[in-house]
Amino acid sequence: MQQAYYQRSPFNLVRIILGLPELFDAERGDNVYSRAGRDFRAWREQGVLVQEKEPCIFAYSQRFTVPGTEVVKERRGFIALGKLHDYAEQVIFRHEQTLSKPKSDRLNLLKATQAHFGQIFMLYSDPAASVDEILYDESGPAEAEVTDEYGVLHRLWRVSDPAAIRLLTAAMDDKKLIIADGHHRYETALSYSKEFAGEDPGSTEHNPSELPQPPYPEAAVMMTFVNMDSDGLVILPTHRVVHGLERFDPVAFAAAAQEFFTVDTLGDDGASSYLELLGLQQETAFVAVTRAGAILLRSKPEAVAAALAGLPERQRQLDLSQLHSIILDRLLGLDAEKVREETNLRYLRDAGEAVDQVLRGEADVAFLTNPVSMEQLREVAFAGDVMPQKSTDFFPKLLSGLAIYALE
């Protein structure tokens, strides 16, 4: 995709957010980050990117077909600045652990460009859909629209009427937010903002007649806000593929798993059949695919409860907590550090590709899983707990570059 975007246009955003390395790149000399900063400045000077003349937010909708079905949905939200909060303040809630490498990469890009190009995907609760009524009532033709590689139609409307923005900010004033996607970028922006926290923020009092502004540019980040009570939210499973184990014996693994799971041998029916079977299970279950065949693992509640006694009750019920703590850690020896560093682990949305990697000899075992439900995510996040890394895959992704927040 990176190569395809490069070929599409000399001004494609991939050149900034995921630039191609060059032969003589150096950590302190010319590199992907310095080129990103240079290109961003040049595009602004050349008028490729034009700053809005007045404060505004953007209504943002995505119309898509749910993968694996013929169901068409529309997810609606809006893009705006959101104030950065420490998790301890209990305004912003995370729902999963983060990985080390992405945060370092995003910090380097932020420092080089002094801008945010992608939005943090935030969920808020609004059962009455009052925010959508402010934004989408007779919204008229879209200012911009584009269809991506996955057939998703992205549409954008500029909202610059101060009265509408005041209504919106008032409606959002007491909302608690859950990070749906963008944990790494959020934590990067939060850390970066603290470097500037000593600067004089001026008065923190907000004049109701004025539109709210962050006390200093780094104190906010660009967010897309989506109502978690809407029908347009779709969470897909993220399957785990384990590779590079020194000695993996499928028969020995299946035998060891019987301490915690009921193990049933499956036929060579393919990924879609395995997912269909998983969807029928009432309790926690996984399909493990090895070169010796596929097995269905259904959890034994008492054995699992004893093994996960150190975890909070709501986490013990999560499929992925059982997969990570019992199967990956206890049975396969992949501790939290190896998982965090992605030493022997890949995450895939496509179950077919996960199975194929095993069959091609590129992996030892693939674990197919059911998706996390919105109810589970809400409970875990608001309780201050976290799920394992890559627990959720909200579909579709937000497009980067629809709006850009320049800090200077």
Side-chain angles (χ1 to χ4, degrees):
M1 289 174 75
Q2 180 191 44
Q3 291 281 4
Y5 289 147
Y6 255 79
Q7 292 166 10
R8 252 178 225 184
S9 168
F11 303 116
N12 191 286
L13 193 70
V14 75
R15 294 169 183 268
I16 290 177
I17 64 173
L18 189 65
L20 283 168
E22 296 180 2
L23 183 59
F24 297 105
D25 280 357
E27 187 175 339
R28 296 188 178 278
D30 193 40
N31 56 39
V32 291
Y33 305 112
S34 64
R35 287 192 293 275
R38 179 197 65 204
D39 286 348
F40 182 54
R41 287 189 294 273
W43 294 359
R44 294 176 75 180
E45 290 166 3
Q46 295 164 16
V48 175
L49 298 171
V50 180
Q51 188 162 332
E52 293 290 343
K53 293 181 172 59
E54 53 191 352
C56 60
I57 60 172
F58 294 93
Y60 176 27
S61 86
Q62 297 166 283
R63 185 171 295 166
F64 60 98
T65 301
V66 179
T69 76
E70 295 181 0
V71 177
V72 176
K73 289 181 179 282
E74 183 173 8
R75 188 173 72 196
R76 291 179 163 187
F78 66 95
I79 303 172
L81 291 187
K83 183 182 175 184
L84 291 157
H85 291 269
D86 271 310
Y87 295 135
E89 296 176 57
Q90 296 195 315
V91 175
I92 309 286
F93 294 81
R94 57 181 177 164
H95 76 265
E96 64 183 21
Q97 301 277 15
T98 50
L99 304 166
S100 306
K101 295 173 188 174
K103 281 194 279 193
S104 170
D105 171 59
R106 293 301 90 181
L107 181 59
N108 289 335
L109 182 65
L110 178 57
K111 286 183 173 179
T113 60
Q114 290 294 294
H116 295 283
F117 301 94
Q119 317 109 46
I120 314 297
F121 187 168
M122 291 294 195
L123 300 173
Y124 65 94
S125 181
D126 181 19
S130 56
V131 170
D132 274 5
E133 286 183 11
I134 298 169
L135 289 169
Y136 288 93
D137 185 28
E138 299 178 10
S139 47
E143 307 264 350
E145 63 177 57
V146 61
T147 301
D148 67 22
E149 294 90 338
Y150 302 99
V152 180
L153 174 63
H154 303 258
R155 293 187 295 168
L156 212 62
W157 294 265
R158 181 189 288 104
V159 179
S160 56
D161 177 13
I165 295 177
R166 285 192 200 96
L167 278 174
L168 183 72
T169 53
M172 292 294 295
D173 192 49
D174 62 345
K175 305 293 187 196
K176 296 183 181 298
L177 303 175
I178 297 175
I179 302 174
D181 200 0
H183 289 76
H184 298 94
R185 284 176 288 124
Y186 183 82
E187 291 175 13
T188 298
L190 180 62
S191 297
Y192 190 62
S193 74
K194 291 178 180 178
E195 297 181 22
F196 301 86
E199 297 186 3
D200 179 20
S203 173
T204 56
E205 293 290 320
H206 172 54
N207 184 341
S209 66
E210 297 177 356
L211 296 178
Q213 298 287 335
Y216 52 96
E218 296 80 7
V221 70
M222 192 164 56
M223 301 176 180
T224 290
F225 301 84
V226 174
N227 182 4
M228 71 176 77
D229 301 302
S230 68
D231 180 57
L233 269 182
V234 172
I235 306 177
L236 301 178
T238 301
H239 310 296
R240 270 63 174 158
V241 176
V242 179
H243 61 90
L245 298 178
E246 285 187 18
R247 290 178 295 276
F248 177 71
D249 182 341
V251 176
F253 167 74
Q258 289 180 359
E259 180 181 350
F260 307 99
F261 302 92
T262 301
V263 179
D264 296 310
T265 303
L266 302 177
D268 186 16
D269 300 323
S272 59
S273 176
Y274 299 150
L275 291 179
E276 189 176 335
L277 176 64
L278 273 178
L280 298 174
Q281 305 305 310
Q282 299 300 312
E283 302 296 332
T284 295
F286 316 100
V287 170
V289 182
T290 70
R291 272 160 279 178
I295 54 177
L296 175 67
L297 306 175
R298 289 176 292 143
S299 94
K300 296 177 178 177
E302 291 183 6
V304 166
L308 302 182
L311 290 180
E313 170 63 25
R314 60 181 59 82
Q315 283 206 54
R316 293 202 292 267
Q317 306 302 320
L318 294 174
D319 295 25
L320 292 176
S321 292
Q322 297 184 24
L323 175 58
H324 277 247
S325 297
I326 296 177
I327 295 178
L328 297 185
D329 190 344
R330 190 174 294 209
L331 300 183
L332 296 180
L334 300 183
D335 60 21
E337 181 65 21
K338 288 180 179 177
V339 169
R340 190 159 47 247
E341 297 300 330
E342 300 181 77
T343 308
N344 300 89
L345 196 59
R346 288 192 284 265
Y347 302 91
L348 291 179
R349 172 189 292 170
D350 188 332
E353 174 60 20
V355 171
D356 286 347
Q357 287 191 9
V358 173
L359 299 180
R360 291 197 300 262
E362 298 169 8
D364 299 303
V365 55
F367 295 100
L368 308 186
T369 70
N370 279 318
V372 170
S373 71
M374 190 63 236
E375 291 72 27
Q376 287 175 319
L377 184 147
R378 186 194 308 237
E379 284 184 13
V380 168
F382 284 151
D385 295 335
V386 289
M387 299 177 182
Q389 297 92 336
K390 302 286 184 183
S391 291
T392 56
D393 179 5
F394 284 87
F395 185 86
K397 296 294 186 188
L398 306 175
L399 274 191
S400 295
L402 292 174
I404 296 170
Y405 175 40
L407 301 176
E408 56 181 25

